[in-house]
Amino acid sequence: MNKLLLFWISIGLLLFYVGILPIIIMSSFLEYRGLFDYIILLLNIIMYGCFITGFLVSKKEYNV
């Protein structure tokens, strides 16, 4: 299962959106611009890290 590229892309997007939705909802109530930038940076690193891992780990015979 962890050799599928679609699995890694889905995990990356899931982690990104699960992390960003509460931040977007709370940003309308609070003003913390500096912290928001660091959280976005961390979530982007996690998401693209999952993408890169998927491209490196995936096998061609599983991704037809």
Side-chain angles (χ1 to χ4, degrees), residues 9 29 32 40:
I9 291 175
F29 300 117
Y32 50 95
I40 294 294

Side-chain angles (χ1 to χ4, degrees), residues 36-47:
F36 180 73
D37 292 337
Y38 288 117
I39 293 172
I40 294 294
L41 177 65
L42 179 66
L43 289 172
N44 275 320
I45 290 171
I46 291 170
M47 180 178 65

